[in-house]
Amino acid sequence: MLVLSRKKGESVIIQDEIEITVLGVEGDTVRIGISAPKNVDIFRKEIYLSIQEANRESAAQSEAGIHNLLQHFKNPK
């Protein structure tokens, strides 16, 4: 992990396209602004993890449904 110190108004650039700017610091809260191309998804980590879990659950349900469908065709009644 790269660790940097930045002051209010200072930025970090990632791969020429993403700019992260420190907008303000109040106590232990840091406000940041992110400029990135529209095709780059940006999520708070807790939201990202929630989306990943929902995707895993959906994939598991799809797998179970496909498995049941295949079993039905292998052993028709």
Coordinates of all heavy atoms in Angstrom, one line a residue:
M1 N 0.8 -1.2 0.0 CA 0.0 0.0 0.0 C 0.9 1.2 0.0 O 1.8 1.3 0.8 CB -0.9 0.0 1.2 CG -1.7 1.3 1.4 SD -2.6 1.5 2.9 CE -3.7 0.1 2.9
L2 N 0.6 2.1 -0.9 CA 1.3 3.4 -0.9 C 0.6 4.3 0.1 O -0.6 4.5 0.1 CB 1.2 4.0 -2.3 CG 1.7 5.4 -2.5 CD1 3.2 5.5 -2.2 CD2 1.4 5.9 -3.9
V3 N 1.4 5.0 0.9 CA 0.9 5.9 1.9 C 1.4 7.3 1.6 O 2.6 7.5 1.5 CB 1.3 5.5 3.4 CG1 0.8 6.5 4.4 CG2 0.8 4.1 3.7
L4 N 0.5 8.3 1.5 CA 0.9 9.6 1.1 C 0.3 10.6 2.1 O -0.8 10.3 2.7 CB 0.4 10.0 -0.3 CG 0.9 9.2 -1.4 CD1 0.1 9.5 -2.7 CD2 2.3 9.4 -1.7
S5 N 1.0 11.7 2.3 CA 0.4 12.8 3.1 C 0.0 13.9 2.1 O 0.8 14.3 1.3 CB 1.4 13.3 4.1 OG 1.8 12.4 5.0
R6 N -1.2 14.4 2.3 CA -1.7 15.5 1.4 C -2.4 16.5 2.3 O -3.0 16.2 3.3 CB -2.8 14.9 0.4 CG -2.2 13.9 -0.5 CD -1.5 14.4 -1.7 NE -0.2 14.8 -1.4 CZ 0.6 15.7 -2.0 NH1 0.1 16.3 -3.1 NH2 1.8 16.1 -1.6
K7 N -2.4 17.7 1.9 CA -3.0 18.8 2.6 C -4.3 19.2 1.8 O -4.4 18.8 0.6 CB -2.1 20.0 2.7 CG -0.9 19.8 3.6 CD 0.0 21.0 3.7 CE 1.2 20.7 4.5 NZ 2.2 21.8 4.5
K8 N -5.2 19.9 2.4 CA -6.4 20.4 1.8 C -6.0 21.1 0.5 O -5.1 21.9 0.4 CB -7.1 21.4 2.7 CG -8.4 21.9 2.1 CD -9.1 22.9 3.1 CE -10.3 23.4 2.4 NZ -11.0 24.4 3.3
G9 N -6.7 20.7 -0.6 CA -6.5 21.2 -1.9 C -5.4 20.5 -2.7 O -5.3 20.7 -3.9
E10 N -4.7 19.6 -2.1 CA -3.7 18.8 -2.8 C -4.3 17.5 -3.4 O -5.3 17.0 -2.9 CB -2.5 18.5 -1.9 CG -1.7 19.7 -1.5 CD -0.5 19.3 -0.6 OE1 -0.5 18.3 0.1 OE2 0.4 20.1 -0.6
S11 N -3.7 17.0 -4.5 CA -4.3 15.9 -5.2 C -3.3 14.8 -5.4 O -2.1 14.9 -5.2 CB -4.7 16.3 -6.6 OG -5.7 17.3 -6.5
V12 N -3.8 13.7 -5.8 CA -3.0 12.5 -6.3 C -3.6 12.1 -7.6 O -4.8 12.1 -7.8 CB -3.2 11.3 -5.3 CG1 -2.5 10.1 -5.8 CG2 -2.7 11.7 -3.9
I13 N -2.8 11.8 -8.6 CA -3.2 11.4 -9.9 C -2.9 9.9 -10.1 O -1.8 9.4 -9.7 CB -2.4 12.1 -11.0 CG1 -2.6 13.6 -10.8 CG2 -2.9 11.7 -12.4 CD1 -4.0 14.1 -11.1
I14 N -3.9 9.1 -10.6 CA -3.7 7.7 -10.9 C -3.9 7.4 -12.4 O -4.9 7.8 -12.9 CB -4.7 6.9 -10.1 CG1 -4.6 7.1 -8.6 CG2 -4.6 5.4 -10.4 CD1 -5.6 6.5 -7.7
Q15 N -2.9 6.9 -13.0 CA -2.8 6.6 -14.4 C -3.4 7.6 -15.3 O -4.2 7.4 -16.2 CB -3.6 5.2 -14.6 CG -2.9 4.1 -14.0 CD -3.5 2.7 -14.4 OE1 -4.6 2.7 -15.0 NE2 -2.8 1.7 -14.1
D16 N -3.0 8.9 -15.1 CA -3.3 10.0 -16.0 C -4.8 10.3 -16.1 O -5.2 11.3 -16.7 CB -2.8 9.7 -17.5 CG -1.3 9.6 -17.6 OD1 -0.6 10.3 -16.8 OD2 -0.9 8.8 -18.4
E17 N -5.7 9.5 -15.5 CA -7.1 9.7 -15.7 C -7.9 10.0 -14.4 O -9.0 10.4 -14.5 CB -7.7 8.5 -16.4 CG -7.2 8.3 -17.8 CD -7.9 7.2 -18.6 OE1 -8.4 6.3 -17.9 OE2 -8.0 7.2 -19.8
I18 N -7.4 9.6 -13.3 CA -8.1 9.7 -12.1 C -7.4 10.6 -11.1 O -6.2 10.5 -10.9 CB -8.3 8.3 -11.4 CG1 -9.0 7.3 -12.3 CG2 -9.0 8.4 -10.0 CD1 -9.0 5.9 -11.9
E19 N -8.1 11.6 -10.7 CA -7.5 12.6 -9.7 C -8.3 12.6 -8.4 O -9.6 12.7 -8.4 CB -7.6 14.0 -10.3 CG -7.0 15.0 -9.4 CD -6.9 16.4 -10.0 OE1 -7.4 16.6 -11.2 OE2 -6.3 17.3 -9.4
I20 N -7.6 12.4 -7.3 CA -8.2 12.4 -6.0 C -7.7 13.6 -5.3 O -6.5 13.8 -5.1 CB -7.9 11.1 -5.2 CG1 -8.4 9.9 -6.0 CG2 -8.5 11.2 -3.8 CD1 -7.9 8.6 -5.5
T21 N -8.6 14.5 -4.9 CA -8.3 15.7 -4.2 C -8.8 15.8 -2.8 O -10.0 15.4 -2.6 CB -8.9 16.9 -5.0 OG1 -8.4 16.8 -6.4 CG2 -8.5 18.3 -4.4
V22 N -8.0 16.2 -1.9 CA -8.4 16.4 -0.5 C -9.2 17.7 -0.4 O -8.7 18.8 -0.7 CB -7.2 16.5 0.5 CG1 -7.7 16.8 1.9 CG2 -6.5 15.2 0.5
L23 N -10.5 17.7 -0.1 CA -11.3 18.9 -0.1 C -11.3 19.5 1.3 O -11.5 20.7 1.4 CB -12.7 18.5 -0.5 CG -12.9 17.9 -1.9 CD1 -14.4 17.5 -2.2 CD2 -12.4 18.9 -3.0
G24 N -11.2 18.7 2.3 CA -11.2 19.2 3.7 C -11.0 18.1 4.7 O -11.1 17.0 4.4
V25 N -10.6 18.6 5.9 CA -10.3 17.7 7.0 C -11.0 18.3 8.2 O -10.7 19.4 8.6 CB -8.8 17.5 7.3 CG1 -8.6 16.5 8.5 CG2 -8.1 17.0 6.0
E26 N -11.9 17.5 8.9 CA -12.6 18.0 10.1 C -12.5 16.9 11.1 O -13.2 15.8 10.9 CB -14.0 18.4 9.8 CG -14.2 19.5 8.8 CD -15.6 19.8 8.5 OE1 -16.5 19.3 9.1 OE2 -15.8 20.5 7.5
G27 N -11.7 17.0 12.1 CA -11.5 16.0 13.1 C -10.9 14.8 12.4 O -9.9 14.9 11.8
D28 N -11.6 13.6 12.6 CA -11.0 12.4 11.9 C -11.7 12.1 10.6 O -11.6 11.0 10.1 CB -11.2 11.2 12.9 CG -12.6 10.9 13.3 OD1 -13.5 11.7 13.0 OD2 -12.8 9.8 14.0
T29 N -12.4 13.1 10.1 CA -13.1 12.9 8.8 C -12.4 13.7 7.7 O -12.1 14.9 7.8 CB -14.6 13.4 8.9 OG1 -15.3 12.6 9.9 CG2 -15.3 13.2 7.5
V30 N -12.1 13.0 6.6 CA -11.5 13.6 5.4 C -12.5 13.6 4.3 O -13.0 12.6 4.0 CB -10.2 12.8 5.0 CG1 -9.6 13.4 3.8 CG2 -9.2 12.8 6.2
R31 N -12.7 14.7 3.7 CA -13.6 14.8 2.5 C -12.7 14.8 1.3 O -11.7 15.6 1.2 CB -14.4 16.1 2.5 CG -15.4 16.1 3.7 CD -16.4 17.3 3.6 NE -17.2 17.1 2.4 CZ -17.5 18.1 1.6 NH1 -17.1 19.3 1.8 NH2 -18.3 17.9 0.5
I32 N -13.0 13.9 0.3 CA -12.2 13.8 -0.9 C -13.1 14.0 -2.1 O -14.3 13.7 -2.0 CB -11.4 12.5 -1.0 CG1 -12.4 11.3 -1.0 CG2 -10.4 12.4 0.1 CD1 -11.7 10.0 -1.3
G33 N -12.5 14.5 -3.2 CA -13.2 14.6 -4.4 C -12.5 13.7 -5.4 O -11.3 13.6 -5.4
I34 N -13.2 13.0 -6.3 CA -12.6 12.1 -7.2 C -13.1 12.5 -8.6 O -14.3 12.5 -8.9 CB -13.0 10.6 -6.9 CG1 -12.6 10.2 -5.5 CG2 -12.4 9.7 -7.9 CD1 -13.2 8.9 -5.0
S35 N -12.2 12.7 -9.5 CA -12.5 13.0 -10.9 C -12.0 11.8 -11.7 O -10.8 11.4 -11.6 CB -11.8 14.2 -11.4 OG -12.2 15.4 -10.7
A36 N -12.9 11.1 -12.4 CA -12.5 10.0 -13.2 C -13.4 9.9 -14.4 O -14.5 10.5 -14.4 CB -12.7 8.7 -12.3
P37 N -13.0 9.1 -15.4 CA -13.8 8.9 -16.6 C -15.1 8.3 -16.2 O -15.2 7.5 -15.2 CB -13.0 8.0 -17.5 CG -11.6 8.1 -17.0 CD -11.7 8.5 -15.6
K38 N -16.2 8.5 -17.0 CA -17.5 8.0 -16.7 C -17.5 6.4 -16.7 O -18.4 5.8 -16.0 CB -18.5 8.5 -17.7 CG -18.8 10.0 -17.5 CD -19.9 10.4 -18.4 CE -20.1 11.9 -18.3 NZ -21.3 12.3 -17.7
N39 N -16.6 5.8 -17.4 CA -16.6 4.3 -17.4 C -15.9 3.7 -16.2 O -15.9 2.5 -16.1 CB -15.9 3.8 -18.7 CG -14.5 4.2 -18.8 OD1 -14.1 5.3 -18.4 ND2 -13.7 3.3 -19.3
V40 N -15.4 4.5 -15.3 CA -14.8 4.0 -14.1 C -15.8 4.0 -12.9 O -16.3 5.1 -12.6 CB -13.6 4.9 -13.7 CG1 -13.0 4.4 -12.4 CG2 -12.5 4.8 -14.8
D41 N -16.1 2.9 -12.4 CA -17.0 2.8 -11.2 C -16.3 3.2 -10.0 O -15.2 2.7 -9.7 CB -17.6 1.3 -11.1 CG -18.5 0.9 -12.2 OD1 -19.2 1.8 -12.8 OD2 -18.5 -0.3 -12.6
I42 N -17.0 4.0 -9.2 CA -16.4 4.4 -7.9 C -17.4 4.1 -6.8 O -18.6 4.6 -6.9 CB -16.0 5.9 -7.9 CG1 -15.0 6.2 -9.0 CG2 -15.5 6.3 -6.5 CD1 -14.8 7.7 -9.3
F43 N -17.1 3.3 -5.8 CA -18.0 3.0 -4.7 C -17.3 3.2 -3.4 O -16.0 3.0 -3.3 CB -18.3 1.5 -4.8 CG -19.1 1.1 -6.0 CD1 -18.4 0.5 -7.1 CD2 -20.4 1.4 -6.2 CE1 -19.0 0.1 -8.2 CE2 -21.1 1.0 -7.4 CZ -20.4 0.4 -8.4
R44 N -18.0 3.5 -2.3 CA -17.5 3.4 -1.0 C -17.3 1.9 -0.7 O -18.0 1.1 -1.2 CB -18.5 3.9 0.0 CG -18.8 5.4 -0.1 CD -19.6 6.0 1.0 NE -20.6 5.1 1.6 CZ -21.9 5.2 1.3 NH1 -22.4 6.1 0.5 NH2 -22.7 4.3 1.9
K45 N -16.3 1.6 0.0 CA -15.9 0.1 0.2 C -17.1 -0.7 0.8 O -17.3 -1.8 0.3 CB -14.7 0.0 1.1 CG -14.2 -1.4 1.2 CD -12.9 -1.5 2.0 CE -12.5 -3.0 2.1 NZ -11.2 -3.1 2.8
E46 N -17.8 -0.2 1.7 CA -18.9 -1.0 2.3 C -20.0 -1.3 1.2 O -20.6 -2.3 1.2 CB -19.5 -0.3 3.5 CG -20.1 1.1 3.3 CD -19.2 2.2 3.4 OE1 -17.9 2.0 3.3 OE2 -19.7 3.4 3.5
I47 N -20.2 -0.3 0.3 CA -21.2 -0.6 -0.7 C -20.6 -1.6 -1.7 O -21.3 -2.5 -2.2 CB -21.5 0.8 -1.5 CG1 -22.2 1.8 -0.5 CG2 -22.4 0.5 -2.7 CD1 -23.5 1.3 0.1
Y48 N -19.3 -1.4 -2.1 CA -18.7 -2.4 -3.0 C -18.8 -3.8 -2.4 O -19.1 -4.8 -3.2 CB -17.2 -2.0 -3.2 CG -16.5 -2.9 -4.1 CD1 -16.6 -2.9 -5.4 CD2 -15.6 -3.9 -3.5 CE1 -15.9 -3.8 -6.2 CE2 -14.9 -4.7 -4.3 CZ -15.1 -4.7 -5.7 OH -14.4 -5.6 -6.5
L49 N -18.5 -4.0 -1.1 CA -18.5 -5.3 -0.5 C -20.0 -5.9 -0.5 O -20.2 -7.1 -0.8 CB -18.0 -5.3 0.9 CG -16.5 -5.0 1.0 CD1 -16.1 -4.8 2.5 CD2 -15.6 -6.0 0.3
S50 N -20.9 -5.0 -0.3 CA -22.3 -5.4 -0.4 C -22.7 -5.9 -1.8 O -23.4 -6.9 -1.9 CB -23.2 -4.3 0.1 OG -24.6 -4.6 0.0
I51 N -22.3 -5.2 -2.8 CA -22.6 -5.6 -4.2 C -21.9 -6.9 -4.5 O -22.5 -7.8 -5.1 CB -22.0 -4.5 -5.2 CG1 -22.9 -3.2 -5.0 CG2 -22.0 -5.0 -6.6 CD1 -22.3 -2.0 -5.7
Q52 N -20.7 -7.1 -4.0 CA -20.0 -8.4 -4.3 C -20.7 -9.5 -3.6 O -20.8 -10.6 -4.2 CB -18.5 -8.3 -3.7 CG -17.6 -7.3 -4.5 CD -17.5 -7.7 -6.0 OE1 -17.2 -8.8 -6.3 NE2 -17.8 -6.7 -6.8
E53 N -21.2 -9.3 -2.4 CA -21.9 -10.4 -1.7 C -23.2 -10.7 -2.4 O -23.6 -11.9 -2.6 CB -22.2 -10.0 -0.3 CG -23.0 -11.0 0.5 CD -22.2 -12.3 0.7 OE1 -21.0 -12.4 0.6 OE2 -22.9 -13.4 0.8
A54 N -23.9 -9.7 -2.9 CA -25.2 -9.9 -3.6 C -24.9 -10.7 -4.9 O -25.6 -11.6 -5.3 CB -25.8 -8.6 -3.9
N55 N -23.8 -10.3 -5.6 CA -23.4 -11.1 -6.8 C -23.1 -12.5 -6.5 O -23.4 -13.4 -7.3 CB -22.2 -10.4 -7.5 CG -22.6 -9.1 -8.1 OD1 -23.7 -8.8 -8.4 ND2 -21.6 -8.3 -8.4
R56 N -22.4 -12.8 -5.4 CA -22.0 -14.2 -5.0 C -23.3 -15.0 -4.8 O -23.5 -16.1 -5.2 CB -21.1 -14.2 -3.8 CG -19.7 -14.0 -4.2 CD -18.8 -14.3 -3.0 NE -18.9 -13.3 -1.9 CZ -18.3 -12.2 -1.8 NH1 -17.5 -11.8 -2.8 NH2 -18.5 -11.4 -0.8
E57 N -24.3 -14.3 -4.0 CA -25.5 -15.0 -3.7 C -26.3 -15.3 -5.0 O -26.9 -16.4 -5.2 CB -26.3 -14.2 -2.8 CG -25.8 -14.1 -1.4 CD -26.5 -13.2 -0.5 OE1 -27.6 -12.6 -0.9 OE2 -26.1 -13.0 0.7
S58 N -26.3 -14.3 -5.9 CA -27.1 -14.5 -7.2 C -26.4 -15.6 -8.0 O -27.1 -16.5 -8.6 CB -27.0 -13.2 -7.9 OG -27.7 -13.4 -9.2
A59 N -25.1 -15.7 -8.0 CA -24.4 -16.7 -8.8 C -24.7 -18.1 -8.2 O -24.9 -19.0 -9.0 CB -22.9 -16.4 -8.8
A60 N -24.7 -18.2 -6.9 CA -25.0 -19.5 -6.2 C -26.4 -19.9 -6.6 O -26.6 -21.1 -6.8 CB -24.8 -19.3 -4.7
Q61 N -27.3 -19.0 -6.5 CA -28.7 -19.4 -6.9 C -28.8 -19.8 -8.3 O -29.5 -20.8 -8.7 CB -29.7 -18.2 -6.6 CG -29.9 -17.9 -5.1 CD -30.7 -16.7 -4.9 OE1 -31.1 -16.0 -5.8 NE2 -30.9 -16.3 -3.6
S62 N -28.1 -19.1 -9.2 CA -28.1 -19.5 -10.6 C -27.5 -20.9 -10.8 O -28.1 -21.7 -11.6 CB -27.4 -18.5 -11.5 OG -28.0 -17.2 -11.5
E63 N -26.4 -21.1 -10.1 CA -25.8 -22.5 -10.2 C -26.8 -23.5 -9.8 O -26.9 -24.6 -10.4 CB -24.5 -22.5 -9.4 CG -23.3 -22.0 -10.1 CD -22.1 -22.3 -9.3 OE1 -22.0 -23.3 -8.6 OE2 -21.2 -21.4 -9.3
A64 N -27.4 -23.3 -8.7 CA -28.4 -24.3 -8.1 C -29.5 -24.5 -9.1 O -29.9 -25.6 -9.4 CB -28.9 -23.8 -6.8
G65 N -30.0 -23.4 -9.7 CA -31.1 -23.6 -10.7 C -30.7 -24.3 -11.9 O -31.4 -25.2 -12.4
I66 N -29.5 -24.1 -12.4 CA -29.0 -24.8 -13.6 C -28.7 -26.3 -13.2 O -29.1 -27.1 -14.0 CB -27.6 -24.1 -14.1 CG1 -28.0 -22.8 -14.7 CG2 -26.9 -25.0 -15.1 CD1 -26.7 -21.9 -15.0
H67 N -28.2 -26.5 -12.0 CA -28.0 -27.9 -11.6 C -29.3 -28.6 -11.6 O -29.4 -29.8 -12.0 CB -27.3 -27.9 -10.2 CG -27.1 -29.3 -9.7 ND1 -26.2 -30.2 -10.2 CD2 -27.7 -30.0 -8.7 CE1 -26.2 -31.3 -9.6 NE2 -27.2 -31.2 -8.6
N68 N -30.3 -28.0 -11.0 CA -31.7 -28.7 -10.9 C -32.2 -28.9 -12.3 O -32.8 -29.9 -12.5 CB -32.6 -27.8 -10.1 CG -32.3 -27.8 -8.6 OD1 -31.6 -28.7 -8.1 ND2 -32.7 -26.8 -7.9
L69 N -32.1 -28.0 -13.2 CA -32.6 -28.1 -14.5 C -31.8 -29.3 -15.3 O -32.5 -30.1 -15.9 CB -32.4 -26.8 -15.3 CG -32.9 -26.7 -16.7 CD1 -34.4 -26.9 -16.7 CD2 -32.6 -25.4 -17.4
L70 N -30.5 -29.3 -15.1 CA -29.8 -30.4 -15.7 C -30.2 -31.8 -15.1 O -30.3 -32.8 -15.9 CB -28.3 -30.2 -15.5 CG -27.7 -29.1 -16.3 CD1 -26.2 -28.9 -15.9 CD2 -27.8 -29.3 -17.8
Q71 N -30.4 -31.8 -13.8 CA -30.9 -33.1 -13.2 C -32.2 -33.5 -13.8 O -32.5 -34.7 -14.0 CB -31.0 -32.9 -11.7 CG -29.6 -32.8 -11.0 CD -28.8 -34.1 -11.2 OE1 -27.9 -34.1 -12.1 NE2 -29.1 -35.1 -10.5
H72 N -33.1 -32.5 -14.0 CA -34.4 -32.8 -14.6 C -34.3 -33.5 -15.9 O -35.0 -34.4 -16.2 CB -35.3 -31.5 -14.6 CG -36.6 -31.7 -15.3 ND1 -37.6 -32.4 -14.7 CD2 -37.0 -31.4 -16.6 CE1 -38.6 -32.4 -15.6 NE2 -38.3 -31.8 -16.7
F73 N -33.4 -33.0 -16.7 CA -33.2 -33.5 -18.1 C -32.5 -34.9 -18.1 O -32.8 -35.7 -18.9 CB -32.5 -32.5 -19.0 CG -33.4 -31.4 -19.5 CD1 -33.1 -30.1 -19.0 CD2 -34.5 -31.6 -20.3 CE1 -33.9 -29.0 -19.4 CE2 -35.3 -30.6 -20.7 CZ -35.0 -29.3 -20.3
K74 N -31.7 -35.1 -17.1 CA -31.0 -36.4 -17.0 C -31.9 -37.4 -16.5 O -31.8 -38.6 -16.9 CB -29.8 -36.3 -16.0 CG -28.6 -35.6 -16.6 CD -27.5 -35.5 -15.6 CE -26.3 -34.8 -16.1 NZ -25.2 -34.8 -15.1
N75 N -32.8 -37.1 -15.6 CA -33.8 -38.0 -15.0 C -35.2 -37.5 -15.2 O -35.9 -37.2 -14.2 CB -33.5 -38.2 -13.5 CG -32.0 -38.6 -13.2 OD1 -31.6 -39.5 -13.9 ND2 -31.4 -37.9 -12.3
P76 N -35.7 -37.5 -16.4 CA -37.1 -37.0 -16.5 C -38.1 -38.0 -15.9 O -37.9 -39.2 -15.9 CB -37.3 -36.9 -18.1 CG -36.2 -37.8 -18.6 CD -35.1 -37.9 -17.6
K77 N -39.2 -37.5 -15.4 CA -40.2 -38.3 -14.7 C -41.3 -38.7 -15.7 O -41.6 -38.2 -16.7 CB -40.8 -37.5 -13.6 CG -39.8 -37.3 -12.5 CD -40.4 -36.6 -11.4 CE -39.3 -36.3 -10.3 NZ -39.8 -35.6 -9.2

